[in-house]
Amino acid sequence: ECNEFGLPGQRVTKCEWTPLTAHLVKDALKLKTKLYDPFPGDHSKMEKIVDASGHNAGYATFVELMAQQAEDLKRLKIFLGHEVVGLRRSERDTSGGVVLSVKGPNKTFEVGASAVLLNIPQLPLLRLLRASSQVDEVMSPPADLFAPSSYAILKLYVHYED
């Protein structure tokens, strides 16, 4: 849903439509939400995640819960305080595996993965790909990544399979 707000001649269009996030939060993770209307009068239909008492739980709640569930299933490992500094194709995993060079607080090490989802902004992604060896068309971002026009509150999630 899109709405216009602001003074005449300075009107801004704001679209509030995040079906993937809403599905994850409400349907898959079964988290509680309530109306979030930081600017009364603009008739926002945005919602925020709340705890059992109805208090703000924070936007990171659903990400932390997904990560915890995935770690519990032994499907992923999260490295907080680390930075991916390089990517390359795995020589051992011929089905499309990737090796990530990860810089931690004390050392740089490599981690192998059969699948990788990077949640980083466009410019850091391009710097990472430029610093990586063996980047091919599958590991390169699709052209659609360069099409959106950004807005101050825009966050874009991209997921695709080889």
Side-chain angles (χ1 to χ4, degrees):
E1 175 181 325
C2 296
N3 296 304
E4 286 190 11
F5 62 96
L7 301 172
Q10 298 176 351
R11 303 208 38 92
V12 175
T13 301
K14 177 176 71 171
C15 299
E16 299 169 357
W17 186 65
T18 57
L20 176 60
T21 304
H23 170 69
L24 285 171
V25 169
K26 294 177 171 185
D27 303 327
L29 300 173
K30 308 286 189 227
L31 294 170
K32 289 180 61 175
T33 64
K34 73 177 186 181
L35 186 64
Y36 173 67
D37 193 3
F39 304 106
D42 74 351
H43 309 292
S44 175
K45 292 180 177 59
M46 291 190 296
E47 296 181 37
K48 61 183 174 181
I49 302 170
V50 295
D51 62 19
S53 302
H55 300 285
N56 295 345
Y59 188 76
T61 302
F62 85 94
V63 176
E64 292 165 348
L65 181 57
M66 284 191 311
Q68 184 60 54
Q69 289 178 355
E71 279 192 315
D72 290 348
L73 294 171
K74 308 287 188 246
R75 297 290 307 266
L76 67 84
K77 174 69 178 148
I78 297 174
F79 296 92
L80 298 175
H82 291 68
E83 176 186 5
V84 177
V85 294
L87 302 169
R88 65 177 170 79
R89 285 282 177 198
S90 172
E91 294 89 23
R92 289 188 288 175
D93 182 354
T94 57
S95 63
V98 176
V99 176
L100 294 87
S101 295
V102 180
K103 182 179 178 184
N106 301 316
K107 65 179 182 173
T108 299
F109 56 95
E110 291 189 335
V111 176
S114 59
V116 176
L117 173 65
L118 298 172
N119 181 17
I120 59 177
Q122 182 184 29
L123 291 178
L125 172 63
L126 296 175
R127 281 194 294 271
L128 171 63
L129 293 174
R130 197 169 32 251
S132 300
S133 62
Q134 302 173 353
V135 174
D136 56 28
E137 68 281 348
V138 174
M139 294 172 64
S140 296
D144 293 345
L145 181 64
F146 302 96
S149 299
S150 66
Y151 182 69
I153 62 170
L154 175 74
K155 183 155 190 174
L156 175 67
Y157 289 93
V158 177
H159 176 266
Y160 59 93
E161 296 179 327
D162 310 17

